[in-house]
Amino acid sequence: MTQIIKGANLPLSGEPMRVAVVRRSEGPDELRIDPAALLVAADDKVRGPEDLVFYNQPEHGGSGVRLAGSARAEGGVVADWLEIDPGRVEPDVRRIVVAASCEGATFGEVTGLYLRVVSAATGEQLALYAVEDATTETALLLGEFYRRDGGWKFRALGQGYASGLPRLAADFGFSVPGDDTAEDEREGEREDDRLPDGTVTHDAAPVHRIPEPVAAPEPAAVAVTPFDAATPSVRAAPAAPPASLVVAKSGALGHLVMPPFSAPLTRCNDLPSEMGPEFTPVEFSGRGKEDIDPGLTLPKGFVVVDVLKEDDRLIEVVTLTVRKRAWRQALISAVPQLRGVGVFHHDGHTPLRLRVETWGGGAWTIRLRPVSTLRPFDGPLEGVGPDVLAYTGGETGVRYRCQGDEKKEGFFGVNVLRRGGHQQSAFCRLDRGRGSGALPAGPRLLVVDTRGGWSMEPRQGGIGGFWTRRR
């Protein structure tokens, strides 16, 4: 039986092999999967950067492990191939770990993912492992070939990382000159984001033919729109000159001050129209828990939610199903004197309805507006509390800083949303301090989730020359 489950292993003959990372990929939003192999020594670390075989380094000269290209078959089946000859592997290499990274998405969005090992001479199947529990990972350890009792065996792994291939490689001992990830590891400023086993189940192993390869200080005081303590009121905001987002400098970080809702709004970024519809902003005020019907009929896309509240109680904004059940969360925060920004994805079919709830019955005001009015992330930015930014640039590295709240407590997360509502984690830490990460090419929305002051700065050229894809 060559098909095995996660954690299982089976013996191999030691003959030359070809390894396929297979999935289904169809349509205009096709996902790109990059296979990789790590050559690991007895101390469970690589001996150096040369022991990673990936898109910028497609062959390992000493051991003959190489990428062999990709191919397609009917039904949208795509296979990315590697070649491994155990007889050529250097004696110092105890394991060869086969991994994959997913650009601009997570493996939970990949359909029909599995790893297949075949004989290079006969094409006979030697091992098959279907990945059935991927969720928010952007890099996966799929399987490993390892020495045992003078021979070789294969084990199905299925372990993942939320922050991509660089973080995965760092766990295997990479130290690349100029790599900010390694630098932050040494300074103890990054949190380990290795993910627990997932819970999402996909289809079992496919049976179709695999295509062959072809070679902060307190926020500044702001004038707030008066709250209506009775029933929600709706006001259409004018669409005239540009909206002004004022940053009041105070110490190392400034504070984003949301303009009063009476301020005009207009396009501020270069997001394509398919990211979200244009519409006249609408505003609502209320108290405690209330359901809102904005009276908007909108096509599919993202919608921005601005939130104002004065107290330190928790507030949550969610979309509702046709049966008025909570569906998608747009924002949740307990930041005092909140001037926050959230976002949700509207499917374009169900009626647009929202529920706003503040614990303790506090007053609130929200505004719905188009994503075209979001601040662009095209240079250093600062803020306080939750925010949403527009990103339309290429792949880049990012330097983050989390100042924390008035209690000097941290938590700073940045999630990346692409067209269709798909989400992946770009950065996360649970305390104050600095860190670095990477962003995929736009267009994307960047969702900032934090309790206090923060800053972000793009660093051109990615997170190091070693990791930057060579086109």
Side-chain angles (χ1 to χ4, degrees), residues 6 33 100-103 105-110 113 131 133-141 158-164 193-200 202 423-425:
K6 181 175 180 177
I33 305 299
S101 58
C102 187
E103 182 176 304
T106 67
F107 277 99
E109 302 170 43
V110 178
L113 177 66
V131 180
D133 57 2
T135 54
T136 60
E137 304 92 341
T138 59
L140 275 178
L141 303 178
Q159 298 176 351
Y161 296 76
S163 54
D193 68 344
R194 193 163 189 165
L195 297 174
D197 291 344
T199 57
V200 178
H202 299 289
Q423 175 176 289
Q424 72 180 91
S425 174

PDB file of all heavy atoms in Angstrom, residues 6 33 100-103 105-110 113 131 133-141 158-164 193-200 202 423-425:
ATOM      1  N   LYS A   6      -0.939  11.138   7.248  1.00  0.00           N
ATOM      2  CA  LYS A   6      -0.018  12.028   7.946  1.00  0.00           C
ATOM      3  C   LYS A   6       0.631  11.317   9.129  1.00  0.00           C
ATOM      4  O   LYS A   6      -0.036  10.702   9.947  1.00  0.00           O
ATOM      5  CB  LYS A   6      -0.788  13.264   8.434  1.00  0.00           C
ATOM      6  CG  LYS A   6       0.034  14.308   9.156  1.00  0.00           C
ATOM      7  CD  LYS A   6      -0.835  15.502   9.467  1.00  0.00           C
ATOM      8  CE  LYS A   6      -0.084  16.597  10.190  1.00  0.00           C
ATOM      9  NZ  LYS A   6      -0.930  17.792  10.425  1.00  0.00           N
ATOM     10  N   ILE A  33       2.150  27.640  -6.544  1.00  0.00           N
ATOM     11  CA  ILE A  33       2.795  26.827  -5.525  1.00  0.00           C
ATOM     12  C   ILE A  33       4.254  26.651  -5.920  1.00  0.00           C
ATOM     13  O   ILE A  33       4.559  26.307  -7.064  1.00  0.00           O
ATOM     14  CB  ILE A  33       2.117  25.448  -5.401  1.00  0.00           C
ATOM     15  CG1 ILE A  33       0.618  25.601  -5.136  1.00  0.00           C
ATOM     16  CG2 ILE A  33       2.777  24.620  -4.306  1.00  0.00           C
ATOM     17  CD1 ILE A  33       0.291  26.315  -3.871  1.00  0.00           C
ATOM     18  N   ALA A 100       6.731  23.158   0.367  1.00  0.00           N
ATOM     19  CA  ALA A 100       6.128  24.005  -0.666  1.00  0.00           C
ATOM     20  C   ALA A 100       5.670  25.296  -0.025  1.00  0.00           C
ATOM     21  O   ALA A 100       5.316  25.325   1.162  1.00  0.00           O
ATOM     22  CB  ALA A 100       4.949  23.303  -1.335  1.00  0.00           C
ATOM     23  N   SER A 101       5.719  26.367  -0.790  1.00  0.00           N
ATOM     24  CA  SER A 101       5.200  27.658  -0.336  1.00  0.00           C
ATOM     25  C   SER A 101       4.128  28.123  -1.306  1.00  0.00           C
ATOM     26  O   SER A 101       4.130  27.753  -2.481  1.00  0.00           O
ATOM     27  CB  SER A 101       6.320  28.704  -0.225  1.00  0.00           C
ATOM     28  OG  SER A 101       6.983  28.874  -1.469  1.00  0.00           O
ATOM     29  N   CYS A 102       3.211  28.931  -0.797  1.00  0.00           N
ATOM     30  CA  CYS A 102       2.054  29.377  -1.579  1.00  0.00           C
ATOM     31  C   CYS A 102       2.067  30.895  -1.614  1.00  0.00           C
ATOM     32  O   CYS A 102       2.004  31.548  -0.572  1.00  0.00           O
ATOM     33  CB  CYS A 102       0.769  28.860  -0.949  1.00  0.00           C
ATOM     34  SG  CYS A 102      -0.726  29.173  -1.902  1.00  0.00           S
ATOM     35  N   GLU A 103       2.151  31.474  -2.796  1.00  0.00           N
ATOM     36  CA  GLU A 103       2.263  32.917  -2.927  1.00  0.00           C
ATOM     37  C   GLU A 103       0.896  33.580  -3.002  1.00  0.00           C
ATOM     38  O   GLU A 103       0.061  33.222  -3.809  1.00  0.00           O
ATOM     39  CB  GLU A 103       3.065  33.285  -4.173  1.00  0.00           C
ATOM     40  CG  GLU A 103       3.257  34.778  -4.359  1.00  0.00           C
ATOM     41  CD  GLU A 103       4.147  35.099  -5.542  1.00  0.00           C
ATOM     42  OE1 GLU A 103       5.274  34.606  -5.588  1.00  0.00           O
ATOM     43  OE2 GLU A 103       3.687  35.844  -6.423  1.00  0.00           O
ATOM     44  N   ALA A 105      -1.631  33.535  -1.004  1.00  0.00           N
ATOM     45  CA  ALA A 105      -2.792  32.790  -0.523  1.00  0.00           C
ATOM     46  C   ALA A 105      -2.319  31.860   0.590  1.00  0.00           C
ATOM     47  O   ALA A 105      -1.171  31.916   1.025  1.00  0.00           O
ATOM     48  CB  ALA A 105      -3.455  32.009  -1.652  1.00  0.00           C
ATOM     49  N   THR A 106      -3.220  31.011   1.060  1.00  0.00           N
ATOM     50  CA  THR A 106      -2.874  30.009   2.056  1.00  0.00           C
ATOM     51  C   THR A 106      -3.155  28.628   1.489  1.00  0.00           C
ATOM     52  O   THR A 106      -3.915  28.467   0.524  1.00  0.00           O
ATOM     53  CB  THR A 106      -3.691  30.204   3.345  1.00  0.00           C
ATOM     54  OG1 THR A 106      -5.079  29.914   3.059  1.00  0.00           O
ATOM     55  CG2 THR A 106      -3.562  31.629   3.860  1.00  0.00           C
ATOM     56  N   PHE A 107      -2.579  27.600   2.108  1.00  0.00           N
ATOM     57  CA  PHE A 107      -2.793  26.249   1.614  1.00  0.00           C
ATOM     58  C   PHE A 107      -4.207  25.759   1.898  1.00  0.00           C
ATOM     59  O   PHE A 107      -4.648  24.778   1.297  1.00  0.00           O
ATOM     60  CB  PHE A 107      -1.754  25.298   2.202  1.00  0.00           C
ATOM     61  CG  PHE A 107      -0.452  25.316   1.444  1.00  0.00           C
ATOM     62  CD1 PHE A 107       0.612  26.049   1.907  1.00  0.00           C
ATOM     63  CD2 PHE A 107      -0.329  24.627   0.250  1.00  0.00           C
ATOM     64  CE1 PHE A 107       1.812  26.085   1.199  1.00  0.00           C
ATOM     65  CE2 PHE A 107       0.853  24.653  -0.469  1.00  0.00           C
ATOM     66  CZ  PHE A 107       1.940  25.385   0.001  1.00  0.00           C
ATOM     67  N   GLY A 108      -4.921  26.429   2.787  1.00  0.00           N
ATOM     68  CA  GLY A 108      -6.314  26.091   2.963  1.00  0.00           C
ATOM     69  C   GLY A 108      -7.163  26.398   1.745  1.00  0.00           C
ATOM     70  O   GLY A 108      -8.268  25.875   1.585  1.00  0.00           O
ATOM     71  N   GLU A 109      -6.644  27.255   0.854  1.00  0.00           N
ATOM     72  CA  GLU A 109      -7.343  27.607  -0.381  1.00  0.00           C
ATOM     73  C   GLU A 109      -6.956  26.716  -1.549  1.00  0.00           C
ATOM     74  O   GLU A 109      -7.553  26.818  -2.632  1.00  0.00           O
ATOM     75  CB  GLU A 109      -7.037  29.063  -0.749  1.00  0.00           C
ATOM     76  CG  GLU A 109      -7.416  30.064   0.319  1.00  0.00           C
ATOM     77  CD  GLU A 109      -6.871  31.446   0.005  1.00  0.00           C
ATOM     78  OE1 GLU A 109      -6.960  31.860  -1.165  1.00  0.00           O
ATOM     79  OE2 GLU A 109      -6.324  32.098   0.910  1.00  0.00           O
ATOM     80  N   VAL A 110      -5.950  25.857  -1.366  1.00  0.00           N
ATOM     81  CA  VAL A 110      -5.466  24.991  -2.438  1.00  0.00           C
ATOM     82  C   VAL A 110      -6.327  23.740  -2.502  1.00  0.00           C
ATOM     83  O   VAL A 110      -6.565  23.079  -1.488  1.00  0.00           O
ATOM     84  CB  VAL A 110      -3.994  24.627  -2.223  1.00  0.00           C
ATOM     85  CG1 VAL A 110      -3.505  23.683  -3.317  1.00  0.00           C
ATOM     86  CG2 VAL A 110      -3.133  25.887  -2.188  1.00  0.00           C
ATOM     87  N   LEU A 113      -4.582  19.017  -2.923  1.00  0.00           N
ATOM     88  CA  LEU A 113      -3.125  19.016  -2.759  1.00  0.00           C
ATOM     89  C   LEU A 113      -2.640  17.640  -2.298  1.00  0.00           C
ATOM     90  O   LEU A 113      -3.163  17.073  -1.350  1.00  0.00           O
ATOM     91  CB  LEU A 113      -2.727  20.083  -1.736  1.00  0.00           C
ATOM     92  CG  LEU A 113      -1.242  20.179  -1.387  1.00  0.00           C
ATOM     93  CD1 LEU A 113      -0.418  20.633  -2.587  1.00  0.00           C
ATOM     94  CD2 LEU A 113      -1.049  21.123  -0.206  1.00  0.00           C
ATOM     95  N   VAL A 131      -2.787  15.858   1.389  1.00  0.00           N
ATOM     96  CA  VAL A 131      -2.851  16.840   2.475  1.00  0.00           C
ATOM     97  C   VAL A 131      -4.316  17.185   2.712  1.00  0.00           C
ATOM     98  O   VAL A 131      -4.977  17.749   1.836  1.00  0.00           O
ATOM     99  CB  VAL A 131      -2.039  18.097   2.131  1.00  0.00           C
ATOM    100  CG1 VAL A 131      -2.118  19.113   3.257  1.00  0.00           C
ATOM    101  CG2 VAL A 131      -0.585  17.728   1.839  1.00  0.00           C
ATOM    102  N   ASP A 133      -5.629  18.665   5.839  1.00  0.00           N
ATOM    103  CA  ASP A 133      -5.938  19.523   6.983  1.00  0.00           C
ATOM    104  C   ASP A 133      -5.245  20.880   6.921  1.00  0.00           C
ATOM    105  O   ASP A 133      -5.021  21.502   7.948  1.00  0.00           O
ATOM    106  CB  ASP A 133      -5.584  18.818   8.295  1.00  0.00           C
ATOM    107  CG  ASP A 133      -4.130  18.382   8.353  1.00  0.00           C
ATOM    108  OD1 ASP A 133      -3.393  18.656   7.384  1.00  0.00           O
ATOM    109  OD2 ASP A 133      -3.732  17.778   9.365  1.00  0.00           O
ATOM    110  N   ALA A 134      -4.899  21.356   5.737  1.00  0.00           N
ATOM    111  CA  ALA A 134      -4.265  22.669   5.630  1.00  0.00           C
ATOM    112  C   ALA A 134      -5.287  23.766   5.925  1.00  0.00           C
ATOM    113  O   ALA A 134      -6.459  23.656   5.562  1.00  0.00           O
ATOM    114  CB  ALA A 134      -3.669  22.873   4.242  1.00  0.00           C
ATOM    115  N   THR A 135      -4.828  24.849   6.572  1.00  0.00           N
ATOM    116  CA  THR A 135      -5.712  25.975   6.894  1.00  0.00           C
ATOM    117  C   THR A 135      -5.047  27.289   6.504  1.00  0.00           C
ATOM    118  O   THR A 135      -5.119  27.702   5.365  1.00  0.00           O
ATOM    119  CB  THR A 135      -6.084  25.958   8.391  1.00  0.00           C
ATOM    120  OG1 THR A 135      -4.888  25.919   9.182  1.00  0.00           O
ATOM    121  CG2 THR A 135      -6.945  24.762   8.731  1.00  0.00           C
ATOM    122  N   THR A 136      -4.367  27.930   7.444  1.00  0.00           N
ATOM    123  CA  THR A 136      -3.802  29.259   7.201  1.00  0.00           C
ATOM    124  C   THR A 136      -2.314  29.234   6.874  1.00  0.00           C
ATOM    125  O   THR A 136      -1.668  30.268   6.838  1.00  0.00           O
ATOM    126  CB  THR A 136      -4.012  30.157   8.430  1.00  0.00           C
ATOM    127  OG1 THR A 136      -3.350  29.576   9.564  1.00  0.00           O
ATOM    128  CG2 THR A 136      -5.495  30.327   8.729  1.00  0.00           C
ATOM    129  N   GLU A 137      -1.749  28.065   6.606  1.00  0.00           N
ATOM    130  CA  GLU A 137      -0.322  27.973   6.316  1.00  0.00           C
ATOM    131  C   GLU A 137       0.012  28.583   4.952  1.00  0.00           C
ATOM    132  O   GLU A 137      -0.736  28.429   3.991  1.00  0.00           O
ATOM    133  CB  GLU A 137       0.148  26.510   6.329  1.00  0.00           C
ATOM    134  CG  GLU A 137      -0.140  25.769   7.609  1.00  0.00           C
ATOM    135  CD  GLU A 137      -1.474  25.042   7.587  1.00  0.00           C
ATOM    136  OE1 GLU A 137      -2.330  25.398   6.749  1.00  0.00           O
ATOM    137  OE2 GLU A 137      -1.666  24.135   8.407  1.00  0.00           O
ATOM    138  N   THR A 138       1.155  29.242   4.870  1.00  0.00           N
ATOM    139  CA  THR A 138       1.684  29.702   3.584  1.00  0.00           C
ATOM    140  C   THR A 138       2.946  28.939   3.204  1.00  0.00           C
ATOM    141  O   THR A 138       3.515  29.184   2.139  1.00  0.00           O
ATOM    142  CB  THR A 138       1.987  31.207   3.614  1.00  0.00           C
ATOM    143  OG1 THR A 138       2.944  31.488   4.645  1.00  0.00           O
ATOM    144  CG2 THR A 138       0.715  32.002   3.878  1.00  0.00           C
ATOM    145  N   ALA A 139       3.410  28.051   4.074  1.00  0.00           N
ATOM    146  CA  ALA A 139       4.500  27.128   3.764  1.00  0.00           C
ATOM    147  C   ALA A 139       4.208  25.815   4.460  1.00  0.00           C
ATOM    148  O   ALA A 139       3.735  25.795   5.600  1.00  0.00           O
ATOM    149  CB  ALA A 139       5.854  27.688   4.212  1.00  0.00           C
ATOM    150  N   LEU A 140       4.470  24.693   3.778  1.00  0.00           N
ATOM    151  CA  LEU A 140       4.164  23.370   4.314  1.00  0.00           C
ATOM    152  C   LEU A 140       5.358  22.445   4.181  1.00  0.00           C
ATOM    153  O   LEU A 140       6.026  22.428   3.136  1.00  0.00           O
ATOM    154  CB  LEU A 140       2.984  22.743   3.565  1.00  0.00           C
ATOM    155  CG  LEU A 140       1.561  23.073   3.983  1.00  0.00           C
ATOM    156  CD1 LEU A 140       0.586  22.371   3.050  1.00  0.00           C
ATOM    157  CD2 LEU A 140       1.291  22.658   5.419  1.00  0.00           C
ATOM    158  N   LEU A 141       5.625  21.653   5.226  1.00  0.00           N
ATOM    159  CA  LEU A 141       6.501  20.498   5.127  1.00  0.00           C
ATOM    160  C   LEU A 141       5.624  19.324   4.701  1.00  0.00           C
ATOM    161  O   LEU A 141       4.781  18.855   5.464  1.00  0.00           O
ATOM    162  CB  LEU A 141       7.158  20.207   6.481  1.00  0.00           C
ATOM    163  CG  LEU A 141       7.964  21.347   7.122  1.00  0.00           C
ATOM    164  CD1 LEU A 141       8.506  20.899   8.473  1.00  0.00           C
ATOM    165  CD2 LEU A 141       9.081  21.790   6.216  1.00  0.00           C
ATOM    166  N   GLY A 158       3.085  17.014   6.704  1.00  0.00           N
ATOM    167  CA  GLY A 158       1.893  17.854   6.792  1.00  0.00           C
ATOM    168  C   GLY A 158       1.939  18.911   7.875  1.00  0.00           C
ATOM    169  O   GLY A 158       0.921  19.221   8.482  1.00  0.00           O
ATOM    170  N   GLN A 159       3.127  19.500   8.151  1.00  0.00           N
ATOM    171  CA  GLN A 159       3.268  20.566   9.144  1.00  0.00           C
ATOM    172  C   GLN A 159       3.484  21.891   8.438  1.00  0.00           C
ATOM    173  O   GLN A 159       4.126  21.942   7.388  1.00  0.00           O
ATOM    174  CB  GLN A 159       4.444  20.275  10.076  1.00  0.00           C
ATOM    175  CG  GLN A 159       4.268  19.000  10.877  1.00  0.00           C
ATOM    176  CD  GLN A 159       5.489  18.693  11.722  1.00  0.00           C
ATOM    177  OE1 GLN A 159       6.519  19.342  11.593  1.00  0.00           O
ATOM    178  NE2 GLN A 159       5.374  17.691  12.581  1.00  0.00           N
ATOM    179  N   GLY A 160       2.936  22.980   9.019  1.00  0.00           N
ATOM    180  CA  GLY A 160       2.967  24.236   8.286  1.00  0.00           C
ATOM    181  C   GLY A 160       3.359  25.443   9.087  1.00  0.00           C
ATOM    182  O   GLY A 160       3.461  25.405  10.316  1.00  0.00           O
ATOM    183  N   TYR A 161       3.570  26.538   8.370  1.00  0.00           N
ATOM    184  CA  TYR A 161       3.941  27.835   8.917  1.00  0.00           C
ATOM    185  C   TYR A 161       3.053  28.908   8.293  1.00  0.00           C
ATOM    186  O   TYR A 161       2.738  28.854   7.102  1.00  0.00           O
ATOM    187  CB  TYR A 161       5.400  28.169   8.594  1.00  0.00           C
ATOM    188  CG  TYR A 161       6.404  27.232   9.212  1.00  0.00           C
ATOM    189  CD1 TYR A 161       6.614  25.961   8.690  1.00  0.00           C
ATOM    190  CD2 TYR A 161       7.146  27.618  10.316  1.00  0.00           C
ATOM    191  CE1 TYR A 161       7.541  25.102   9.250  1.00  0.00           C
ATOM    192  CE2 TYR A 161       8.085  26.764  10.886  1.00  0.00           C
ATOM    193  CZ  TYR A 161       8.269  25.511  10.349  1.00  0.00           C
ATOM    194  OH  TYR A 161       9.192  24.660  10.909  1.00  0.00           O
ATOM    195  N   ALA A 162       2.700  29.902   9.091  1.00  0.00           N
ATOM    196  CA  ALA A 162       1.838  30.972   8.598  1.00  0.00           C
ATOM    197  C   ALA A 162       2.610  32.094   7.926  1.00  0.00           C
ATOM    198  O   ALA A 162       2.014  32.931   7.263  1.00  0.00           O
ATOM    199  CB  ALA A 162       1.003  31.548   9.744  1.00  0.00           C
ATOM    200  N   SER A 163       3.940  32.130   8.089  1.00  0.00           N
ATOM    201  CA  SER A 163       4.706  33.263   7.561  1.00  0.00           C
ATOM    202  C   SER A 163       5.663  32.881   6.458  1.00  0.00           C
ATOM    203  O   SER A 163       6.616  33.590   6.185  1.00  0.00           O
ATOM    204  CB  SER A 163       5.459  33.965   8.700  1.00  0.00           C
ATOM    205  OG  SER A 163       6.249  33.041   9.416  1.00  0.00           O
ATOM    206  N   GLY A 164       5.439  31.754   5.799  1.00  0.00           N
ATOM    207  CA  GLY A 164       6.111  31.472   4.556  1.00  0.00           C
ATOM    208  C   GLY A 164       7.449  30.759   4.654  1.00  0.00           C
ATOM    209  O   GLY A 164       7.922  30.359   5.718  1.00  0.00           O
ATOM    210  N   ASP A 193       5.794  31.116  14.990  1.00  0.00           N
ATOM    211  CA  ASP A 193       4.412  31.045  14.499  1.00  0.00           C
ATOM    212  C   ASP A 193       4.118  29.688  13.873  1.00  0.00           C
ATOM    213  O   ASP A 193       3.278  29.582  13.004  1.00  0.00           O
ATOM    214  CB  ASP A 193       4.143  32.167  13.485  1.00  0.00           C
ATOM    215  CG  ASP A 193       4.922  31.960  12.187  1.00  0.00           C
ATOM    216  OD1 ASP A 193       5.877  31.163  12.168  1.00  0.00           O
ATOM    217  OD2 ASP A 193       4.551  32.600  11.205  1.00  0.00           O
ATOM    218  N   ARG A 194       4.836  28.679  14.323  1.00  0.00           N
ATOM    219  CA  ARG A 194       4.521  27.358  13.800  1.00  0.00           C
ATOM    220  C   ARG A 194       3.095  26.990  14.187  1.00  0.00           C
ATOM    221  O   ARG A 194       2.688  27.150  15.328  1.00  0.00           O
ATOM    222  CB  ARG A 194       5.502  26.328  14.357  1.00  0.00           C
ATOM    223  CG  ARG A 194       5.443  25.007  13.615  1.00  0.00           C
ATOM    224  CD  ARG A 194       6.686  24.185  13.909  1.00  0.00           C
ATOM    225  NE  ARG A 194       6.731  23.025  13.055  1.00  0.00           N
ATOM    226  CZ  ARG A 194       7.819  22.287  12.888  1.00  0.00           C
ATOM    227  NH1 ARG A 194       8.931  22.637  13.476  1.00  0.00           N
ATOM    228  NH2 ARG A 194       7.798  21.233  12.107  1.00  0.00           N
ATOM    229  N   LEU A 195       2.362  26.464  13.250  1.00  0.00           N
ATOM    230  CA  LEU A 195       0.931  26.251  13.457  1.00  0.00           C
ATOM    231  C   LEU A 195       0.655  24.862  14.020  1.00  0.00           C
ATOM    232  O   LEU A 195       1.356  23.902  13.708  1.00  0.00           O
ATOM    233  CB  LEU A 195       0.182  26.402  12.130  1.00  0.00           C
ATOM    234  CG  LEU A 195       0.263  27.778  11.493  1.00  0.00           C
ATOM    235  CD1 LEU A 195      -0.395  27.722  10.128  1.00  0.00           C
ATOM    236  CD2 LEU A 195      -0.399  28.802  12.361  1.00  0.00           C
ATOM    237  N   PRO A 196      -0.386  24.744  14.829  1.00  0.00           N
ATOM    238  CA  PRO A 196      -0.830  23.419  15.252  1.00  0.00           C
ATOM    239  C   PRO A 196      -1.497  22.708  14.101  1.00  0.00           C
ATOM    240  O   PRO A 196      -1.770  23.286  13.053  1.00  0.00           O
ATOM    241  CB  PRO A 196      -1.845  23.730  16.363  1.00  0.00           C
ATOM    242  CG  PRO A 196      -2.368  25.078  16.016  1.00  0.00           C
ATOM    243  CD  PRO A 196      -1.197  25.813  15.392  1.00  0.00           C
ATOM    244  N   ASP A 197      -1.761  21.436  14.292  1.00  0.00           N
ATOM    245  CA  ASP A 197      -2.447  20.674  13.258  1.00  0.00           C
ATOM    246  C   ASP A 197      -3.765  21.328  12.906  1.00  0.00           C
ATOM    247  O   ASP A 197      -4.506  21.778  13.762  1.00  0.00           O
ATOM    248  CB  ASP A 197      -2.714  19.244  13.736  1.00  0.00           C
ATOM    249  CG  ASP A 197      -1.418  18.457  13.859  1.00  0.00           C
ATOM    250  OD1 ASP A 197      -0.397  18.899  13.309  1.00  0.00           O
ATOM    251  OD2 ASP A 197      -1.454  17.406  14.507  1.00  0.00           O
ATOM    252  N   GLY A 198      -4.080  21.366  11.603  1.00  0.00           N
ATOM    253  CA  GLY A 198      -5.307  22.005  11.153  1.00  0.00           C
ATOM    254  C   GLY A 198      -6.514  21.112  11.349  1.00  0.00           C
ATOM    255  O   GLY A 198      -6.413  19.955  11.736  1.00  0.00           O
ATOM    256  N   THR A 199      -7.676  21.666  11.020  1.00  0.00           N
ATOM    257  CA  THR A 199      -8.912  20.916  11.189  1.00  0.00           C
ATOM    258  C   THR A 199      -9.745  20.880   9.929  1.00  0.00           C
ATOM    259  O   THR A 199     -10.785  20.260   9.891  1.00  0.00           O
ATOM    260  CB  THR A 199      -9.758  21.546  12.309  1.00  0.00           C
ATOM    261  OG1 THR A 199      -9.999  22.919  11.992  1.00  0.00           O
ATOM    262  CG2 THR A 199      -9.043  21.474  13.634  1.00  0.00           C
ATOM    263  N   VAL A 200      -9.285  21.546   8.868  1.00  0.00           N
ATOM    264  CA  VAL A 200     -10.058  21.582   7.634  1.00  0.00           C
ATOM    265  C   VAL A 200      -9.827  20.297   6.859  1.00  0.00           C
ATOM    266  O   VAL A 200      -8.688  19.859   6.693  1.00  0.00           O
ATOM    267  CB  VAL A 200      -9.652  22.789   6.780  1.00  0.00           C
ATOM    268  CG1 VAL A 200     -10.425  22.792   5.466  1.00  0.00           C
ATOM    269  CG2 VAL A 200      -9.926  24.071   7.543  1.00  0.00           C
ATOM    270  N   HIS A 202     -10.187  18.170   3.300  1.00  0.00           N
ATOM    271  CA  HIS A 202     -10.402  18.261   1.868  1.00  0.00           C
ATOM    272  C   HIS A 202     -10.692  16.879   1.316  1.00  0.00           C
ATOM    273  O   HIS A 202     -10.690  15.878   2.029  1.00  0.00           O
ATOM    274  CB  HIS A 202      -9.162  18.856   1.186  1.00  0.00           C
ATOM    275  CG  HIS A 202      -8.855  20.229   1.662  1.00  0.00           C
ATOM    276  ND1 HIS A 202      -9.615  21.322   1.348  1.00  0.00           N
ATOM    277  CD2 HIS A 202      -7.860  20.700   2.479  1.00  0.00           C
ATOM    278  CE1 HIS A 202      -9.120  22.395   1.910  1.00  0.00           C
ATOM    279  NE2 HIS A 202      -8.054  22.051   2.604  1.00  0.00           N
ATOM    280  N   GLN A 423      -7.664  35.275   2.773  1.00  0.00           N
ATOM    281  CA  GLN A 423      -6.841  35.939   3.781  1.00  0.00           C
ATOM    282  C   GLN A 423      -5.618  35.111   4.135  1.00  0.00           C
ATOM    283  O   GLN A 423      -5.663  33.890   4.172  1.00  0.00           O
ATOM    284  CB  GLN A 423      -7.673  36.178   5.040  1.00  0.00           C
ATOM    285  CG  GLN A 423      -6.898  36.762   6.210  1.00  0.00           C
ATOM    286  CD  GLN A 423      -7.799  37.068   7.378  1.00  0.00           C
ATOM    287  OE1 GLN A 423      -8.598  37.990   7.345  1.00  0.00           O
ATOM    288  NE2 GLN A 423      -7.702  36.279   8.428  1.00  0.00           N
ATOM    289  N   GLN A 424      -4.491  35.785   4.388  1.00  0.00           N
ATOM    290  CA  GLN A 424      -3.310  35.134   4.914  1.00  0.00           C
ATOM    291  C   GLN A 424      -2.637  36.063   5.912  1.00  0.00           C
ATOM    292  O   GLN A 424      -2.803  37.283   5.863  1.00  0.00           O
ATOM    293  CB  GLN A 424      -2.319  34.768   3.806  1.00  0.00           C
ATOM    294  CG  GLN A 424      -1.595  35.966   3.204  1.00  0.00           C
ATOM    295  CD  GLN A 424      -0.614  35.582   2.118  1.00  0.00           C
ATOM    296  OE1 GLN A 424      -0.984  35.542   0.949  1.00  0.00           O
ATOM    297  NE2 GLN A 424       0.612  35.297   2.491  1.00  0.00           N
ATOM    298  N   SER A 425      -1.869  35.480   6.831  1.00  0.00           N
ATOM    299  CA  SER A 425      -1.150  36.269   7.820  1.00  0.00           C
ATOM    300  C   SER A 425       0.170  36.751   7.254  1.00  0.00           C
ATOM    301  O   SER A 425       0.919  35.978   6.660  1.00  0.00           O
ATOM    302  CB  SER A 425      -0.901  35.434   9.082  1.00  0.00           C
ATOM    303  OG  SER A 425      -0.085  36.128  10.005  1.00  0.00           O
TER     304      SER A 425
END
